[in-house]
C-alpha cells in the first residue's frame, strides 16, 4: 500500500482483526481438498476476511510464506538455545573456579599421565562449549531473510504488480525484510532459499552435540573411578536388580541424545545435494522433521547438562588415593635430580630407581597391593641424603604446572566476557522431572 498498490485501509484492518481467528477445522478440510497447506490457509483466511480476499497472497508464492517463516523460527530457535548454553558454561565455570587448585590424575589414552587439576579438566569442557556458543551466535547472525522473490526467485510477479518499477520491487523486499527483524535478505534465491543454509544451522548444533557427548562421557568415566559423580537423588534407584548401583543416567541420556543430534546434519547435506534447478519438493517433509528435531534435541540436552553441572559431586579422598598410587612413579625424575644435587651419580641412581620401581609395580599388578615405591626408597640407605625431602618431592601441587593459573586466566579473559550478553538470564536452577 505504501508503495502505491491499490490496497485499502479497510482491507488491512480486516486482516489485522482476524490474525488469531484461525478456523483450523476449515483449514484441514481445505488442505484435504486442495492438497496444499499454504493455499488451504489462504482460503481459510480469505473466508474470515472477504473484503481483503482479493489481495491476500498477492504476488506471493508458498515459499514466500514457508521459507521466510522457517528463517524466523531458526533465528528465534538460536535465541532460545544460546542463554541455555551460556547457563551451562556459567555453572561449569563456577565449578572450575572452585576446584582450580585440586590436583587430579591426568589421563592420556585413558592411561595415567601427568597430574592436572579438577578445575583445569573442567576448562577443557568449557572451552569446547565456548566454541559452540560462538558458532551458534555466528550461525544466527549469518541468517538472512528470503524476502520477496517470487516463484523462481526472479521477482517477476512483483515487477508486474509495480508495472516494471524495479526500485519499488527492491524497496518492497527491503521493507518486508526489516519488518521481519532481519538486516539483510539473500540477494538471489530459487523458489527457496539455498538449502545450504540448513546445513550451516544443523552443523553447529551437531558440533554442540559432539561437545556434550565428550563432556558426559568424561563424567561417566569419572563416575566409574568414583572421583566425580553427577547428581544422585536420595531415593533414586540405579538398578532394578542391583540396589548398590549409582548409574550416571543423566550423562548417559545426554550421550544418547547427542548421538541423534550429530546424525541429523546428514539430512540437510543430502537435501542440498539433490535440489534440482530452482527447487524440488522432496526437501519439505524432511526439513519439517530434522530442523525441529535438532533444536528440540539440543534444548533438552542443554537442560539436562545444566542439571548435571549444578550438582556435580567431587570425592577428594578418592582422587588423592589415585594420585598416591601413581605419583611415586611420576616423581622418579625429581628424586634422581635431588640425589644428583646431593652428590649422587645419575646413572647409579637411575639403576636403583629402576629396580625399586619394577618391584613396586609387581606388587601393584601381580599382588593387587598398593604402590610401595616410596617405602622402598625410604628403606634403602642409598637414598638417605634425600629422605627428608621426599614429602616435598611428592607434593601433588608441584606436579600440576600452571593449571591453577591457566584456569584463572581462561575464566577471566575468555569465559566470563563471553557470558556478559546473557547475564540477565543466568538465574534459576534446573530440576529434572524424570
Amino acid at each position: 500500500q505504501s508503495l502505491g498498490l491499490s490496497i485499502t485501509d479497510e482491507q488491512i484492518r480486516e486482516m489485522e482483526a482476524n490474525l488469531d481467528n484461525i478456523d483450523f477445522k476449515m483449514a484441514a478440510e481445505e488442505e484435504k481438498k486442495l492438497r496444499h497447506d499454504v493455499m488451504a490457509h489462504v482460503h481459510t483466511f480469505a473466508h474470515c476476511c472477504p473484503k481483503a480476499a482479493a489481495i491476500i497472497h498477492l504476488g506471493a508464492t508458498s515459499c514466500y510464506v514457508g521459507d521466510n517463516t522457517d528463517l524466523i523460527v531458526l533465528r528465534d530457535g538460536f535465541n532460545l538455545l544460546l542463554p541455555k548454553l551460556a547457563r551451562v558454561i556459567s555453572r561449569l565455570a563456577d565449578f572450575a573456579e572452585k576446584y582450580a587448585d585440586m590436583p587430579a590424575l591426568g589421563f592420556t589414552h585413558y592411561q595415567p599421565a601427568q597430574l592436572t587439576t579438577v578445575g583445569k579438566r573442567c576448562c577443557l569442557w568449557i572451552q569446547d562449549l565456548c566454541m559452540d556458543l560462538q558458532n551458534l551466535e555466528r550461525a544466527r547472525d549469518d541468517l538472512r531473510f528470503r524476502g520477496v522473490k517470487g516463484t523462481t526467485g526472479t521477482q517477476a510477479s512483483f515487477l508486474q504488480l509495480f508495472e516494471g518499477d524495479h526500485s519499488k520491487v527492491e524497496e518492497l523486499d527491503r521493507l518486508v525484510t526489516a519488518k521481519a527483524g532481519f538486516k539483510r535478505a539473500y540477494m538471489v534465491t530459487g523458489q527457496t532459499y539455498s538449502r545450504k543454509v540448513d546445513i550451516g544451522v544443523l552443523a553447529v548444533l551437531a558440533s554442540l552435540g559432539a561437545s556434550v557427548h565428550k563432556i558426559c562421557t568424561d563424567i561417566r568415566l569419572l563416575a566409574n573411578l568414583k572421583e566425580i559423580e553427577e547428581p544422585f537423588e536420595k531415593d533414586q534407584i540405579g538398578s532394578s536388580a542391583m540396589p548398590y548401583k549409582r548409574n550416571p543416567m543423566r550423562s548417559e541420556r545426554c550421550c544418547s541424545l547427542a548421538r541423534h543430534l550429530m546424525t541429523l546434519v546428514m539430512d540437510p547435506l543430502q537435501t542440498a545435494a539433490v535440489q534440482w534447478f530452482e527447487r524440488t519438493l522432496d526437501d519439505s517433509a524432511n526439513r519439517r522433521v530434522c530442523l525441529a528435531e535438532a533444536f528440540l534435541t539440543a534444548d533438552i540436552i542443554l537442560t539436562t547438562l545444566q542439571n548435571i553441572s549444578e550438582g556435580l559431586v567431587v570425592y577428594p579422598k578418592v582422587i588423592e588415593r589415585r594420585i598416591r598410587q601413581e605419583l611415586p612413579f611420576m616423581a622418579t625424575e625429581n628424586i634422581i635430580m635431588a640425589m644428583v644435587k646431593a652428590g649422587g651419580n645419575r646413572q647409579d641412581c637411575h639403576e636403583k630407581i629402576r629396580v625399586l620401581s619394577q618391584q613396586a609395580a609387581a606388587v601393584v599388578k601381580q599382588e593387587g597391593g598398593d604402590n610401595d615405591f616410596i617405602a622402598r626408597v625410604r628403606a634403602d640407605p642409598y637414598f638417605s641424603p634425600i629422605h627428608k625431602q621426599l614429602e616435598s618431592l611428592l607434593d601433588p601441587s608441584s606436579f600440576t604446572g600452571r593449571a591453577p593459573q591457566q584456569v584463572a586466566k581462561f575464566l577471566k579473559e575468555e569465559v566470563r566476557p563471553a557470558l556478559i550478553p546473557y547475564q540477565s538470564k543466568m538465574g534459576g536452577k534446573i530440576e529434572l522431572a524424570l
Side-chain angles (χ1 to χ4, degrees):
Q1 186 197 48
S2 63
L3 292 172
L5 292 186
S6 180
I7 297 171
T8 66
D9 290 341
E10 186 180 22
Q11 288 173 315
I12 292 174
R13 284 195 299 269
E14 185 183 53
M15 289 188 291
E16 288 176 339
N18 285 280
L19 277 176
D20 299 316
N21 180 24
I22 304 172
D23 188 340
F24 287 102
K25 183 178 179 181
M26 179 182 178
E29 291 172 352
E30 287 289 323
E31 184 171 354
K32 186 175 182 179
K33 180 173 63 176
L34 302 174
R35 310 301 297 176
H36 197 291
D37 54 354
V38 173
M39 281 306 293
H41 278 277
V42 169
H43 283 209
T44 302
F45 195 34
H47 180 76
C48 298
C49 308
K51 295 176 182 176
I55 53 96
I56 291 175
H57 207 60
L58 184 62
T61 181
S62 298
C63 288
Y64 169 80
V65 178
D67 270 34
N68 281 324
T69 299
D70 285 344
L71 289 161
I72 293 171
V73 170
L74 293 175
R75 178 197 64 196
D76 293 354
F78 279 127
N79 286 335
L80 290 172
L81 291 180
L82 281 163
K84 294 192 174 193
L85 176 54
R87 278 199 296 271
V88 171
I89 294 171
S90 175
R91 304 306 191 261
L92 289 175
D94 293 341
F95 180 87
E97 190 170 48
K98 181 177 180 180
Y99 295 100
D101 300 328
M102 181 180 285
L105 184 63
F107 291 93
T108 58
H109 314 273
Y110 201 36
Q111 301 299 314
Q114 288 187 345
L115 299 192
T116 182
T117 69
V118 173
K120 170 64 192 305
R121 176 179 284 145
C122 183
C123 284
L124 298 179
W125 304 342
I126 295 170
Q127 181 166 252
D128 286 352
L129 293 176
C130 284
M131 292 180 187
D132 294 315
L133 189 76
Q134 291 176 338
N135 289 341
L136 263 65
E137 289 174 338
R138 183 171 59 249
R140 177 199 61 191
D141 296 342
D142 282 349
L143 287 174
R144 301 189 193 185
F145 207 50
R146 179 186 178 273
V148 182
K149 297 297 193 298
T151 53
T152 59
T154 65
Q155 299 177 305
S157 57
F158 296 100
L159 188 63
Q160 185 175 0
L161 283 172
F162 288 108
E163 297 179 345
D165 191 330
H166 291 269
S167 63
K168 286 190 175 182
V169 176
E170 289 186 359
E171 180 64 5
L172 177 65
D173 201 356
R174 190 194 67 77
L175 287 172
V176 174
T177 297
K179 283 182 178 293
F182 286 81
K183 295 179 180 178
R184 297 180 299 169
Y186 296 108
M187 293 187 70
V188 294
T189 72
Q191 189 171 84
T192 68
Y193 66 79
S194 171
R195 294 312 183 217
K196 284 185 72 68
V197 173
D198 295 343
I199 297 174
V201 169
L202 263 64
V204 298
L205 296 181
S207 183
L208 170 64
S211 299
V212 174
H213 200 295
K214 192 268 194 240
I215 293 167
C216 289
T217 299
D218 281 358
I219 293 172
R220 292 162 66 189
L221 293 170
L222 289 166
N224 173 263
L225 297 174
K226 298 180 175 61
E227 291 191 8
I228 293 178
E229 288 182 343
E230 66 178 35
F232 197 90
E233 312 301 336
K234 183 173 73 73
D235 297 321
Q236 184 174 329
I237 293 175
S239 166
S240 61
M242 296 168 280
Y244 61 87
K245 292 290 287 295
R246 291 173 66 94
N247 299 334
M249 61 90 167
R250 292 170 172 85
S251 298
E252 290 171 324
R253 182 187 305 167
C254 283
C255 289
S256 181
L257 291 171
R259 286 201 300 274
H260 176 60
L261 180 56
M262 286 186 281
T263 64
L264 288 174
V265 72
M266 291 305 300
D267 276 338
L269 280 168
Q270 295 181 71
T271 294
V274 298
Q275 283 299 285
W276 302 346
F277 304 113
E278 280 65 50
R279 84 82 59 99
T280 181
L281 195 59
D282 70 347
D283 64 336
S284 180
N286 184 292
R287 295 175 65 253
R288 292 175 194 225
V289 175
C290 70
L291 293 177
E293 279 199 6
F295 277 88
L296 289 169
T297 304
D299 185 274
I300 191 57
I301 286 174
L302 290 174
T303 296
T304 308
L305 186 56
Q306 181 184 338
N307 175 261
I308 293 170
S309 62
E310 288 173 344
L312 286 173
V313 181
V314 178
Y315 296 105
K317 296 299 182 184
V318 178
I319 295 173
E320 289 171 12
R321 184 177 186 277
R322 183 155 287 108
I323 290 174
R324 287 198 304 271
Q325 286 289 313
E326 302 294 341
L327 190 59
F329 292 150
M330 297 178 195
T332 55
E333 184 66 20
N334 287 9
I335 293 172
I336 292 174
M337 297 307 294
M339 280 295 296
V340 171
K341 288 180 181 178
N345 179 284
R346 189 188 189 285
Q347 282 67 39
D348 293 340
C349 185
H350 184 280
E351 179 59 19
K352 284 274 189 182
I353 286 180
R354 187 189 69 81
V355 173
L356 295 181
S357 62
Q358 293 290 343
Q359 293 170 350
V363 171
V364 173
K365 295 180 178 179
Q366 297 174 20
E367 301 176 20
D370 290 336
N371 189 330
D372 62 359
F373 172 72
I374 296 301
R376 293 175 185 273
V377 171
R378 290 187 190 280
D380 192 326
Y382 175 81
F383 293 99
S384 58
I386 64 164
H387 280 169
K388 293 182 179 180
Q389 300 179 46
L390 285 175
E391 287 300 324
S392 61
L393 292 174
L394 288 166
D395 180 5
S397 64
S398 67
F399 290 83
T400 59
R402 297 192 64 254
Q405 290 75 22
Q406 287 179 347
V407 172
K409 186 177 180 67
F410 175 59
L411 295 180
K412 179 182 178 181
E413 297 185 10
E414 292 196 22
V415 180
R416 303 296 187 190
L419 300 179
I420 290 174
Y422 308 99
Q423 287 298 333
S424 63
K425 299 179 180 179
M426 286 298 181
K429 281 196 169 187
I430 288 289
E431 298 293 339
L432 295 183
L434 293 174

